Amino acid sequence: MLKEMKELAKKLRNRELFTRLLYGWRSFSEKQKELLNIDGEIITICAGRRFGKSSYIAARIFHEAILHLRWKIIVAGPSLDQATIYFDLLTSALETSPLKGFVKDIKISPFPTITLKNRSQITVRSTAYEGKYLRGRKVNAVVITEAAFVKDSVFEKVILPMKLDTKAKIILESTPNGMNYFYEQFTKGLKDGSYNTSFHATVYDN
């Protein structure tokens, strides 16, 4: 069964096709396709509410987890409740998606976690208490939701150092919240477009 799942994953390297299978959606706007296909080592996404950024990033990290053996992915936010949105999106979609065959186990406690048959994991945590629940975690990718509301010190001292041992990809997504580290990363992405990349959309782009 695992071999069959791997072969299916190889056929689904196209993120748009994968996302359609996950959610059962038929089409995307051009702006949504842009979000699905953006790449970089640090990706900063500034998008209005109801654009659908959480759904598309959730699909993206599930895709990465399937394609990579034993990958560890963390989704974190200012509160566990905010970060759990990703977990809820995926578990809800997997109830009816043909991609549910990739899943080995789903746990709610102590931290919501989806474990795949290839031993990759997607775990939800909080950035509270100066990043206490993220410290010492070896990951291959980390998503920070509502990133503009996470302290600069947590990004600089806890999240950014995650790149040191595994070269972890970092995805920051949020609505704007002043001239903080999120604003700086978004500006870097606009100038660079390679290592640092940025994406902007409003609710009207949905």
Side-chain angles (χ1 to χ4, degrees), residues 112-150:
T113 301
I114 299 172
T115 301
L116 304 186
K117 292 177 180 177
N118 67 356
R119 301 182 188 177
S120 289
Q121 286 187 328
I122 299 172
T123 303
V124 175
R125 290 178 176 265
S126 165
T127 63
Y129 303 109
E130 296 296 326
K132 172 183 177 180
Y133 302 112
L134 301 180
R135 292 181 183 274
R137 304 293 166 183
K138 189 174 182 179
V139 299
N140 301 98
V142 58
V143 176
I144 307 298
T145 185
E146 297 297 345
F149 299 86
V150 172

Side-chain angles (χ1 to χ4, degrees), residues 175-189:
T175 51
N177 183 38
M179 309 286 280
N180 53 11
Y181 86 90
F182 181 79
Y183 172 81
E184 292 176 356
Q185 290 298 318
F186 183 77
T187 302
K188 283 183 180 179

Side-chain angles (χ1 to χ4, degrees), residues 8-18 63 67:
L8 176 58
K10 289 179 181 178
K11 294 177 182 178
L12 296 179
R13 290 188 179 276
N14 183 294
R15 290 175 185 159
E16 293 176 32
L17 175 58
F18 182 90
H63 193 213
L67 292 179

Side-chain angles (χ1 to χ4, degrees), residues 4 10 15 23 28 35 55 64 67 72 79 85 103 109 116-117 155 174 195 205:
E4 293 175 1
K10 289 179 181 178
R15 290 175 185 159
Y23 294 120
F28 313 102
L35 175 57
S55 297
E64 294 290 346
L67 292 179
K72 303 296 182 185
S79 71
I85 290 172
V103 178
S109 180
L116 304 186
K117 292 177 180 177
F155 176 73
S174 186
Y195 185 92
D205 290 309

Side-chain angles (χ1 to χ4, degrees), residues 37 53 77 85:
N37 293 304
K53 57 184 181 295
I85 290 172

